């Protein structure tokens, strides 16, 4: 029993009890009468299913879709074809007659010989009314594939297919008459369209003219984009403008290093105008944006009068800015036209188009030039660094001032420095001595060596400098004369001083008094100064180290003199600041006995520990030194004896606890001196210690 039968049986049982089911509540199309009375319901077959038969008297049985009898040679597609397509077996009906039968659009009537095609009658092309009115006879007896015109002399124009809106087309495919429309909405008559009158030719001529104009602009922009340098760009722009417009003059202005406008190129000789400079922040030039400027609009403005006259001097009428991303990189100036006519809007548009392309290309070339300069600078810096490393390596490998002088001369000549001298500070004599120079003299500490005292105004000037000092008036400067003789000044072609400082102390400096032209380039001055600073910082420390290690030169070493120099310098500072300063001398009294008992290595360990303990207790302004094998000096600016005594006792107690030995007791003593209490000069300060 199917679901429908079970539902029906269940409904009847519920209804017999006086109740209703959900099916009873359905109204409308869902109400379907049973085709059988209750007593006429067919009985179930052996399987238990009831077979219902539906019938509808309003339809013919022949129109119902019926499945064919079982046949192995008959496919479902054949059955579908029989139901949907009625085959007419009348061979006398032609295909043209079939096309005229439109009684049923959903039914296609074909003969057995008809070729199936995907097109329908609705797809037939719509022929304009004027064409249908033409006297063209077609013989239907001529084969279908061989239609030809009966009259070969009839001139049939080419017809462009008309676009039909299918949604608005009537079902019967009747053509809408175009002539019934608003005549103003259709400006051309049928005769003009189909006969090829002069109106269409004129449109072609206009289109050709516009195309030629844009083709010319395209060719100009293409030539501009091929520019390999700014000079080439200027030449291409001037040539292109002169080829398009008959003008008296064309010039190009660009900005110089001072951000002012100068003449870069012109169709005339620009040598007589090279001195003309236009201030970019005033007058007419401050109004440069993107629009064209006619200088005649500014002739009565007093603020623009100077630039107006200068522009008239170079025969200028119009200014075309080269604007790229709101930045004006150049200006194209045009003079008056040779004819009496003024510039047309079309001519201005052409020039503006050229300037737009030139601005983009100029920006590109400017970036390329900067990139090339950066690459050249990087290569130059790398080459200089390698050269400096090579010189330093040669200096350290030589370890002799006489050999160093021979090494430096060819290398300095390659750099571009032909006259130079290295001055190194002498702490004992308080002066700066020329130890290596480009002259033929031998460096030695005698009367012939050039030296400059620390108190000299020239040294004071150098100490105030942080980078290269270029002295322009060296031949008349009194400061220079205080350090160099008249004969030495006459040999100079320049005077550059490159200081080298360690902290605030001027350890030495390099003087340069003869250079090659390559180092005189003002544009490369910052780069040159940077290289010279690196040269001084790399070579002066190496020379100082070589001087300290030179056995021949340093047969006598006196570090005590340098220590007293430092003490005297701190005394002067204390007097200037009006603060006390205390000196402490700490001695290990039985150090020699300690060394005899425990040996040299243990005694060195003791001294190193004692030195580290002292340094850990010093402030930033304090100073200490070991000036004897068992004596240490502490200089304490701003501290009095009371503070110094407590500090010395603390150092002594900590040291005694670390190095307490059963074999012996280490004895440590200290002396104190305070200035100005015990003396305000070096001699009294050092002698009055208790």
């Amino acid at each position: 029993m199917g679901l429908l039968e079970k539902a029906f049986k269940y409904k009847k049982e519920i209804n017999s009890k006086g109740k209703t089911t959900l099916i009873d509540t359905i109204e409308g199309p869902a109400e379907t009468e049973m085709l059988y009375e209750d007593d006429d319901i067919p009985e179930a077959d052996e399987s238990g299913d009831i077979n219902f038969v539906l019938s509808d008297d309003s339809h013919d049985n022949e129109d119902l879709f019926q499945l064919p009898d079982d046949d192995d040679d008959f496919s479902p597609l054949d059955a579908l074809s029989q139901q949907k397509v009625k085959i007419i077996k009348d061979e006398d009906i032609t295909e043209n007659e079939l096309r005229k039968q439109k009684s049923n659009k959903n039914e296609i009537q074909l003969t057995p010989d008809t070729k199936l095609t995907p097109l329908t009658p609705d797809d037939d092309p719509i022929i304009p009314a004027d064409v249908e009115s033409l006297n063209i006879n077609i013989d239907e007896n001529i084969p279908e594939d061989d239609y030809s015109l009966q009259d070969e002399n009839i001139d049939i124009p080419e017809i462009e297919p008309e676009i039909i809106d299918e949604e608005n087309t009537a079902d019967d495919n009747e053509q809408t008459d175009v002539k019934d429309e608003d005549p103003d909405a259709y400006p051309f008559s049928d005769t003009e369209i189909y006969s090829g009158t002069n109106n269409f030719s004129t449109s072609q001529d206009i289109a050709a003219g516009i195309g030629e104009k844009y083709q010319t602009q395209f060719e100009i922009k293409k030539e501009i984009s091929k520019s390999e340098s700014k000079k080439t760009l200027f030449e291409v722009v001037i040539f292109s403008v002169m080829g398009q417009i008959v003008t008296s003059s064309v010039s190009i202005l660009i900005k110089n290093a001072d951000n002012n406008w100068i003449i870069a190129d012109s169709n005339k000789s620009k040598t007589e105008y090279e001195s003309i400079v236009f201030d970019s922040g005033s007058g007419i030039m401050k109004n440069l944006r993107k629009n064209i400027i006619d200088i005649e609009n500014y002739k009565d403005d007093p603020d623009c009068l100077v630039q107006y006259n200068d522009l008239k001097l170079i025969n200028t009428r119009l200014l075309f800015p080269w604007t790229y991303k709101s930045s004006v990189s150049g200006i194209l100036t045009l003079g008056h036209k040779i004819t009496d006519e003024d510039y047309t809007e079309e001519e201005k548009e052409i020039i503006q188009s050229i300037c737009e392309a030139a601005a983009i290309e100029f920006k590109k070339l400017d970036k390329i030039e900067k990139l090339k300069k950066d690459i050249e600078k990087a290569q130059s810096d790398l080459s200089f660094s390698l050269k400096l490393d090579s010189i330093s390596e040669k200096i350290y490998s030589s370890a002799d001032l006489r050999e160093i002088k021979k090494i430096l001369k060819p290398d300095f000549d390659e750099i571009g420095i032909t006259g130079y001298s290295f001055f190194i500070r002498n702490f004992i004599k308080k002066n700066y001595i020329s130890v290596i120079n480009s002259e033929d003299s031998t460096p030695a500490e005698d009367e012939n060596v050039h030296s400059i005292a620390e108190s000299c105004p020239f040294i004071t000037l150098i100490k105030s400098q942080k980078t290269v000092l270029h002295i322009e008036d060296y031949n008349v400067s009194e400061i220079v004369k205080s350090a160099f003789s008249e004969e030495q000044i006459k040999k100079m072609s320049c005077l550059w001083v490159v200081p080298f400082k360690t902290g605030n102390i001027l350890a030495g400096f390099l003087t340069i008094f003869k250079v090659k032209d390559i180092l005189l380039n003002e544009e490369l001055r910052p780069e040159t100064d940077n290289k010279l600073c690196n040269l001084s910082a790399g070579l002066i420390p190496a020379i100082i180290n070589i001087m300290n290690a030179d056995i021949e030169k340093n047969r006598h070493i006196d570090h005590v003199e340098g220590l007293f120099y430092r003490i005297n310098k701190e005394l002067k500072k204390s007097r200037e600041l009006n603060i006390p300063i205390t000196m402490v001398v700490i001695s290990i009294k039985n150090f020699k006995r300690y060394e005899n008992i425990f040996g040299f290595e243990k005694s060195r360990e003791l001294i190193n520990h004692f030195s580290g303990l002292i340094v850990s207790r010093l402030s930033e302004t304090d100073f200490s030194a070991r000036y004897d094998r068992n004596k240490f000096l502490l200089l304490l600016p701003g501290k009095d004896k009371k503070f110094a005594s407590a500090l010395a006792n603390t150092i002594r107690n900590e040291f005694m606890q670390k190095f307490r030995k059963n074999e012996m007791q280490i004895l440590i003593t200290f002396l104190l001196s305070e200035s100005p209490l015990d003396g305000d000069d070096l001699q009294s300060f050092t002698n009055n210690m208790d």
Side-chain angles (χ1 to χ4, degrees):
M1 182 182 294
L3 292 176
L4 185 60
E5 290 83 359
K6 290 180 180 180
F8 181 76
K9 184 178 179 180
Y10 172 74
K11 175 181 178 300
K12 288 191 66 176
E13 291 177 359
I14 297 300
N15 291 339
S16 64
K17 297 178 182 180
K19 299 180 181 180
T20 59
T21 64
L22 182 63
I23 300 175
D24 296 327
T25 62
I26 300 176
E27 297 179 357
E31 295 179 345
T32 305
E33 296 183 0
M34 299 302 297
L35 299 180
Y36 299 96
E37 297 295 336
D38 294 343
D39 298 336
D40 296 336
I41 296 176
E43 297 179 357
D45 55 12
E46 297 177 356
S47 62
D49 296 334
I50 299 176
N51 296 322
F52 292 91
V53 178
L54 300 177
S55 63
D56 188 356
D57 296 338
S58 63
H59 297 282
D60 296 335
N61 291 335
E62 63 180 6
D63 293 334
L64 293 176
F65 181 81
Q66 299 177 357
L67 290 175
D69 297 334
D70 293 339
D71 188 354
D72 295 337
D73 298 332
F74 196 81
S75 65
L77 294 177
D78 296 334
L80 184 63
S81 300
Q82 278 192 4
Q83 297 295 327
K84 289 193 174 182
V85 181
K86 294 183 179 180
I87 305 299
I88 301 175
K89 296 183 179 181
D90 189 356
E91 298 180 357
D92 295 332
I93 298 177
T94 64
E95 183 178 357
N96 293 333
E97 291 174 346
L98 284 174
R99 289 182 178 275
K100 295 179 181 180
Q101 297 180 6
K102 300 182 180 179
S103 59
N104 191 352
K105 293 184 179 180
N106 296 327
E107 189 177 88
I108 303 175
Q109 297 179 351
L110 301 173
T111 64
D113 298 333
T114 303
K115 297 180 180 179
L116 293 177
T117 175
L119 300 177
T120 66
D122 293 341
D123 297 319
D124 290 342
I126 298 175
I127 308 300
D130 288 354
V131 178
E132 291 182 353
S133 64
L134 296 175
N135 187 17
I136 303 175
N137 297 323
I138 300 177
D139 189 356
E140 294 182 358
N141 296 326
I142 297 176
E144 184 179 32
D145 298 331
D146 193 24
Y147 285 140
S148 61
L149 298 178
Q150 298 293 325
D151 189 356
E152 297 180 356
N153 297 325
I154 296 177
D155 185 14
I156 300 179
E158 295 183 2
I159 303 173
E160 296 183 0
E162 183 177 356
I163 300 174
I164 304 298
D165 188 357
E166 295 181 357
E167 295 181 359
N168 299 328
T169 305
D171 293 338
D172 57 356
N173 293 325
E174 294 181 358
Q175 183 179 359
T176 303
D177 190 2
V178 178
K179 295 183 179 180
D180 293 337
E181 297 180 355
D182 183 7
D184 295 335
Y186 201 75
F188 301 105
S189 65
D190 296 334
T191 306
E192 290 176 332
I193 293 176
Y194 294 110
S195 62
T197 59
N198 293 333
N199 291 337
F200 187 72
S201 300
T202 304
S203 300
Q204 286 182 333
D205 293 341
I206 293 174
I210 295 174
E212 182 179 356
K213 182 182 74 172
Y214 284 109
Q215 178 67 22
T216 303
Q217 294 184 19
F218 173 77
E219 294 296 334
I220 292 175
K221 291 180 179 180
K222 187 168 69 172
E223 291 299 320
I224 288 175
S225 64
K226 294 179 181 179
S227 303
E228 296 180 354
S229 64
K230 291 181 181 179
K231 185 176 183 299
T232 307
L233 172 63
F234 300 154
E235 292 175 353
V236 171
V237 171
I238 292 175
F239 179 80
S240 301
V241 172
M242 296 295 291
Q244 296 297 314
I245 298 176
V246 182
T247 181
S248 58
S249 68
V250 181
S251 299
I252 296 174
L253 308 182
I254 62 173
K255 288 185 177 181
N256 60 7
D258 298 329
N259 202 35
N260 293 323
W261 297 102
I262 59 172
I263 300 175
D265 204 347
S266 177
N267 67 322
K268 297 183 178 181
S269 176
K270 67 183 183 71
T271 54
E272 55 182 317
Y273 307 131
E274 285 183 349
S275 60
I276 299 179
V277 178
F278 300 93
D279 185 7
S280 59
S282 63
I284 299 175
M285 296 303 175
K286 73 176 181 180
N287 299 310
L288 284 173
R289 296 293 184 272
K290 189 176 181 180
N291 298 328
I292 305 171
I293 292 180
D294 188 343
I295 67 170
E296 296 300 327
N297 297 331
Y298 297 90
K299 63 181 179 180
D300 296 329
D301 189 344
D303 296 334
C304 303
L305 186 59
V306 175
Q307 290 189 358
Y308 174 81
N309 293 330
D310 289 340
L311 289 171
K312 294 292 287 183
L313 183 63
I314 62 175
N315 193 12
T316 298
R317 164 70 189 282
L318 298 179
L319 302 179
F320 291 82
W322 289 8
T323 306
Y324 177 73
K325 292 184 177 180
S326 302
S327 176
V328 181
S329 57
I331 305 173
L332 177 72
T333 69
L334 288 185
H336 291 272
K337 295 185 70 173
I338 295 178
T339 61
D340 295 335
E341 301 175 354
D342 199 358
Y343 292 99
T344 64
E345 293 300 324
E346 183 178 357
E347 290 173 335
K348 293 179 181 179
E349 180 183 349
I350 293 174
I351 302 303
Q352 277 187 310
S353 175
I354 295 175
C355 290
E356 289 174 1
I360 297 173
E361 187 66 19
F362 184 85
K363 202 72 176 180
K364 183 191 77 174
L365 293 173
D366 192 52
K367 288 183 178 180
I368 292 174
E369 286 185 2
K370 289 181 179 178
L371 183 60
K372 287 181 178 179
K373 288 182 179 179
D374 291 341
I375 294 174
E376 291 175 357
K377 181 179 181 301
Q379 292 176 344
S380 177
D381 291 344
L382 178 60
S383 176
F384 184 82
S385 298
L386 294 175
K387 174 63 68 175
L388 183 58
D389 292 341
S390 175
I391 295 173
S392 300
E393 185 178 352
K394 291 177 182 178
I395 290 176
Y396 282 113
S397 63
S398 174
D400 183 273
L401 292 179
R402 296 169 181 80
E403 293 295 327
I404 291 174
K405 181 177 180 179
K406 297 178 181 178
I407 292 171
L408 290 182
K409 193 167 185 178
D411 288 330
F412 269 51
D413 187 73
E414 183 178 347
I415 294 172
I417 302 173
T418 57
Y420 58 91
S421 180
F422 283 94
F423 286 83
I424 304 300
R425 183 186 185 191
N426 188 317
F427 287 89
I428 299 175
K429 295 186 177 181
K430 302 177 184 179
N431 61 4
Y432 290 85
I433 303 171
S434 175
V435 295
I436 298 176
N437 53 59
S438 57
E439 301 296 329
D440 295 332
S441 60
T442 301
E445 291 194 17
D446 52 31
E447 296 180 356
N448 296 326
V449 174
H450 183 200
S451 63
I452 305 174
E454 283 189 8
S455 58
C456 178
F458 183 75
I459 299 299
T460 305
L461 176 64
I462 297 174
K463 287 181 178 180
S464 64
Q465 299 297 314
K466 294 182 179 180
T467 183
V468 181
L469 173 63
H470 297 269
I471 302 177
E472 303 296 338
D473 56 344
Y474 60 90
N475 52 348
V476 294
S477 173
E478 294 296 330
I479 295 178
V480 175
K481 291 180 179 180
S482 67
F484 299 92
S485 65
E486 291 290 341
E487 184 179 354
Q488 289 173 328
I489 294 175
K490 289 180 181 179
K491 294 180 179 179
M492 297 178 181
S493 60
C494 65
L495 182 56
W496 301 348
V497 183
V498 190
F500 173 73
K501 295 181 180 181
T502 55
N504 294 325
I505 299 175
L506 182 65
F509 56 90
L510 167 65
T511 57
I512 300 173
F513 44 86
K514 284 183 182 179
V515 295
K516 294 182 178 179
D517 293 340
I518 189 174
L519 297 182
L520 296 175
N521 190 337
E522 290 294 332
E523 294 181 358
L524 300 177
R525 176 64 62 83
E527 180 182 347
T528 302
D529 289 352
N530 185 53
K531 289 181 178 180
L532 292 177
C533 288
N534 293 335
L535 184 67
S536 176
L539 298 185
I540 290 180
I543 295 173
I544 293 174
N545 292 334
I546 296 301
M547 289 176 61
N548 293 334
D550 192 344
I551 299 175
E552 295 295 329
K553 181 177 179 296
N554 296 311
R555 296 185 178 215
H556 174 72
I557 300 175
D558 186 358
H559 293 297
V560 177
E561 184 68 26
L563 179 60
F564 280 114
Y565 174 81
R566 175 69 181 270
I567 296 172
N568 190 35
K569 183 177 179 181
E570 294 297 335
L571 276 173
K572 291 180 180 179
K573 285 185 179 180
S574 299
R575 285 198 299 269
E576 292 173 358
L577 298 175
N578 195 23
I579 59 175
I581 181 171
T582 302
M583 181 170 61
V584 182
V585 176
I586 303 177
S587 302
I588 304 175
K589 288 297 185 180
N590 49 356
F591 176 75
K592 183 177 181 181
R593 184 185 174 198
Y594 184 91
E595 186 176 9
N596 293 333
I597 295 174
F598 298 101
F600 178 74
E601 293 297 328
K602 288 294 182 179
S603 63
R604 285 188 61 186
E605 182 181 343
L606 182 143
I607 291 297
N608 291 336
H609 180 78
F610 195 71
S611 299
L613 185 60
I614 291 174
V615 172
S616 66
R617 290 289 180 174
L618 297 180
S619 64
E620 293 183 359
T621 58
D622 297 340
F623 164 74
S624 67
R626 180 189 176 192
Y627 70 96
D628 199 353
R629 63 195 300 262
N630 65 328
K631 292 182 180 180
F632 296 85
L633 183 144
L634 283 70
L635 200 61
L636 310 174
K639 281 88 172 178
D640 55 12
K641 278 187 178 183
K642 184 177 180 181
F643 178 89
S645 178
L647 176 63
N649 279 310
T650 301
I651 295 173
R652 179 174 62 181
N653 294 336
E654 289 185 5
F655 181 75
M656 295 286 290
Q657 291 178 1
K658 175 70 176 178
F659 287 89
R660 187 181 298 275
K661 301 292 183 179
N662 295 328
E663 293 85 351
M664 64 170 292
Q665 182 72 26
I666 297 178
L667 179 62
I668 296 178
T669 62
F670 59 86
L671 300 174
L672 301 173
S673 178
E674 180 184 343
S675 176
L677 183 61
D678 297 323
D680 57 355
D681 57 12
L682 180 61
Q683 183 177 2
S684 60
F685 182 60
T686 56
N687 291 336
N688 296 330
M689 301 189 71
D690 55 8

